[in-house]
Amino acid sequence: MSRTAPGHRALAPVLLRGAALALLCLVLAACAGNPARRTSPADLQAQLQREARLAAVDEWSLVGRIAVFDGNDNGSGRIEWQQQGDAFEIVFAAPVSRQSWRLSGGPAGAVLEGLEGGARRAASAEALLEREAGWAVPLRKLRAWARGLRGTPTATISFDAEGLPATLQEDGWTVQYRDWHADLQPPLPRRVFAEKGERRVRLVVERWSAAAAPAGS
């Protein structure tokens, strides 16, 4: 990104190639989706059941695309996210060079590998990603939002005509759900768009794996 110094934030410049087009495609895709409607007690009860069922799953993964914009710079690329309890591994791949980077960690800290000059470490994965790539991504909350869940119980939620989350309001972020993998049980998001001021995160999930517990569990 434009703030990247020589030999520092090596992740950003390569991911930026083709980023403008990728980001534009994701923004245009926001025109699709079901509008929100008035929330009913039945909607909230169904959401609580969804959250309980998905919270019971310790291991899941997704494959897709991500685009990030902070008001000045943007970046995009492929993303593969694997979650095992509180431990995670997120692989980013540049759209042109196919170079990849691996962000992994858990409660004890995080490591970003694949950068010129060796791995970088920090106590927080979010701080590490912002420091090295310039990406201000709320990873902890995105872990919940990606599955259509609230990151905190105080989040405000609205639902679409199918009874699935349409928008979330949480910690100043507005999260919009534009499409769902309706063939999964329970359904899981396909397109997740989050905004806070000039900050934007666009996640398009092409494939989920082991993301839901069996019915009745």
Side-chain angles (χ1 to χ4, degrees):
M1 299 185 178
S2 61
R3 297 187 303 274
T4 304
H8 196 54
R9 286 186 182 169
L11 173 58
V14 182
L15 287 182
L16 282 174
R17 296 169 188 158
L21 178 60
L23 184 63
L24 176 62
C25 291
L26 291 178
V27 171
L28 290 177
C31 296
N34 296 326
R37 57 176 171 78
R38 185 181 297 276
T39 299
S40 71
D43 291 326
L44 294 174
Q45 182 61 35
Q47 179 67 11
L48 287 173
Q49 293 174 352
R50 288 186 71 256
E51 291 179 346
R53 183 175 174 186
L54 291 170
V57 180
D58 286 335
E59 298 184 16
W60 54 266
S61 65
L62 65 81
V63 176
R65 291 168 286 142
I66 190 170
V68 179
F69 180 69
D70 69 359
N72 296 308
D73 304 316
N74 61 65
S76 70
R78 300 283 300 172
I79 182 172
E80 296 183 14
W81 187 328
Q82 297 184 46
Q83 191 77 35
Q84 295 182 324
D86 289 329
F88 63 87
E89 177 180 300
I90 305 174
V91 176
F92 303 98
V96 176
S97 69
R98 300 185 184 276
Q99 191 171 357
S100 64
W101 298 264
R102 176 178 175 267
L103 176 67
S104 61
V111 180
L112 183 60
E113 300 172 276
L115 303 178
E116 182 179 353
R120 314 286 204 277
R121 291 174 171 80
S124 163
E126 294 179 359
L128 180 60
L129 192 59
E130 183 170 9
R131 187 185 75 200
E132 300 300 335
W135 284 18
V137 180
L139 287 175
R140 182 173 293 276
K141 290 183 175 60
L142 188 60
R143 171 182 166 184
W145 297 342
R147 297 198 291 167
L149 309 179
R150 295 169 293 177
T152 58
T154 58
T156 301
I157 188 169
S158 65
F159 299 88
D160 63 20
E162 304 301 323
L164 296 170
T167 63
L168 283 174
Q169 300 282 344
E170 185 172 348
D171 292 343
W173 285 89
T174 297
V175 183
Q176 299 182 341
Y177 294 94
R178 295 293 182 168
D179 195 12
W180 289 77
H181 288 275
D183 55 322
L184 300 177
Q185 291 299 323
L188 288 160
R190 187 189 304 271
R191 298 181 186 274
V192 183
F193 298 164
E195 296 187 2
K196 182 177 183 179
E198 293 186 325
R199 294 166 60 185
R200 301 181 191 127
V201 179
R202 306 292 191 245
L203 177 66
V204 177
V205 182
E206 298 167 356
R207 186 173 72 253
W208 286 100
S209 177
S217 62

